[in-house]
Amino acid sequence: YQRRVHGEIRPILRMLQAHTFFLKRIPSVAWRSLSTHVSSHQRKCFLETDSASPCVGIVSLNNPKVNALSREMCQQLNEVLLAVERSCAARHSESLRVLIVRSTSPVFCAGADLKERLTMPLSEVQAFVSGIRATFSRLESLKIPTIAVVEGAALGGGCELALSCDMRFAGEGATFALPETKLAIIPGAGGTQRLPRLIGASKAKELIFTGASVTADQARQIGLVNGVHQDAFVHALSIAHQIVKNGPVGVRLAKEAIDRGVRGCDVEGECYAQICLTEDREEGLRAFSEKRAPVYKGE
């Protein structure tokens, strides 16, 4: 009887832990204990710390089946990043010093939740995309190194999420694409700015204009990812552990020195605001929902 009751209460406790996470100081042993089990009761995006090194934070995307960037998912990702910022600002012995972003499912992130997007009025679409852009910029601007672990597909906003990290390690089956032009829109969460800085303007234009996808090996060849590994998460952890051994102030200032420069996401935002007004954008979303080929008119 005690075992049965304990089994019924345990999921409830996990749910309560997940939803009260941001009321706790980060990191703590309580949240490290979540590292081995992810249940359907937990958040669509949550933060934990590595059991071997509490200074390594792990953000898990947990919105089955494809980690679509829904309102709830994006809100929770932003909450997680705010919590990471607070931990970094504290600068105590257990402050986070490296952050890993990964998925709990075989797909890293398939991008925007287009079914949800269809229900949004135009004004809400612009605000929502601006919010995603701001969240990814928050990730990019963290004072600690960030690593994306990409297993499976990273499409659209999912690829832009990975681009917002300092490093990317891919699993052997990973794929990357910015297919927005196929829906008569443009990448709106930093892709038009971060991808050219990473792989060069010419190759970035090829991928964005065509909407073509690249495999993990192709991504490595063009510099989109740092490496391809049989177990990308284990490799990312090993890199994080090496970083943690180094002087935190030196690492922080090294990142600041490398990153200092002009950010171009404001330009992208202006272009996205224009694309939202087009008939082609609405046709692209309708065609996706109706599972047919779109008919674009250039309007």
Side-chain angles (χ1 to χ4, degrees):
Y1 172 79
Q2 288 179 336
R3 286 195 298 270
R4 180 175 65 82
V5 172
H6 183 67
E8 293 174 351
I9 291 176
R10 185 180 299 169
I12 298 174
L13 291 175
R14 290 196 187 102
M15 180 177 65
L16 291 173
Q17 287 177 323
H19 285 277
T20 58
F21 173 79
F22 296 101
L23 301 178
K24 301 289 185 177
R25 184 177 63 83
I26 302 170
S28 72
V29 175
W31 308 121
R32 289 199 293 272
S33 67
L34 295 175
S35 61
T36 58
H37 184 81
V38 177
S39 75
S40 60
H41 298 292
Q42 289 180 317
R43 299 169 60 92
K44 296 185 184 299
C45 181
F46 60 92
L47 175 65
E48 55 199 332
T49 55
D50 176 33
S51 58
S53 178
C55 293
V56 177
I58 302 168
V59 176
S60 294
L61 309 177
N62 186 41
N63 190 18
K65 298 179 180 177
V66 296
N67 283 320
L69 293 169
S70 64
R71 288 186 186 92
E72 186 178 9
M73 173 85 151
C74 293
Q75 179 182 351
Q76 292 184 8
L77 175 59
N78 193 56
E79 290 172 354
V80 164
L81 296 177
L82 286 169
V84 174
E85 285 182 347
R86 290 195 295 269
S87 175
C88 296
R91 296 189 186 179
H92 50 68
S93 61
E94 288 191 340
S95 293
L96 295 182
R97 288 164 56 185
V98 182
L99 188 70
I100 296 174
V101 180
R102 66 167 181 175
S103 167
T104 62
S105 71
V107 176
F108 177 73
C109 178
D113 187 336
L114 294 181
K115 292 182 179 179
E116 182 182 80
R117 186 72 61 85
L118 277 168
T119 67
M120 295 181 183
L122 178 60
S123 59
E124 190 173 342
V125 170
Q126 294 176 339
F128 181 69
V129 174
S130 295
I132 297 177
R133 189 183 308 117
T135 296
F136 289 0
S137 293
R138 170 167 279 124
L139 172 60
E140 181 182 47
S141 300
L142 288 175
K143 303 300 184 183
I144 59 175
T146 54
I147 305 171
V149 175
V150 180
E151 300 279 4
L155 308 178
C159 184
E160 291 175 297
L161 173 58
L163 290 172
S164 302
C165 293
D166 296 313
M167 293 166 275
R168 286 150 296 281
F169 295 106
E172 295 173 344
T175 57
F176 300 81
L178 291 174
E180 284 84 355
T181 55
K182 292 183 177 181
L183 295 174
I185 57 176
I186 65 172
T192 64
Q193 307 305 306
R194 296 185 180 103
L195 187 63
R197 293 203 296 262
L198 194 62
I199 68 173
S202 181
K203 191 64 180 178
K205 287 177 179 178
E206 176 188 338
L207 294 182
I208 292 174
F209 293 169
T210 64
S213 64
V214 294
T215 65
D217 285 333
Q218 290 171 332
R220 175 174 55 188
Q221 291 170 9
I222 63 176
L224 179 54
V225 300
N226 295 65
V228 180
H229 305 274
Q230 186 174 9
D231 194 327
F233 179 63
V234 169
H235 182 78
L237 278 176
S238 70
I239 295 296
H241 293 163
Q242 292 178 50
I243 294 172
V244 166
K245 294 178 182 178
N246 298 334
V249 176
V251 171
R252 174 171 55 83
L253 291 178
K255 175 173 178 173
E256 181 180 339
I258 295 169
D259 287 349
R260 182 174 293 169
V262 177
R263 303 295 188 190
C265 288
D266 289 343
V267 175
E268 181 181 85
E270 294 171 5
C271 293
Y272 201 95
Q274 295 178 48
I275 205 75
C276 280
L277 301 174
T278 64
E279 290 291 332
D280 279 357
R281 171 192 166 275
E282 295 183 6
E283 166 63 12
L285 289 173
R286 283 194 299 265
F288 175 83
S289 177
E290 297 167 6
K291 299 182 179 179
R292 61 173 173 82
V295 180
Y296 295 132
K297 300 178 180 178
E299 300 175 352

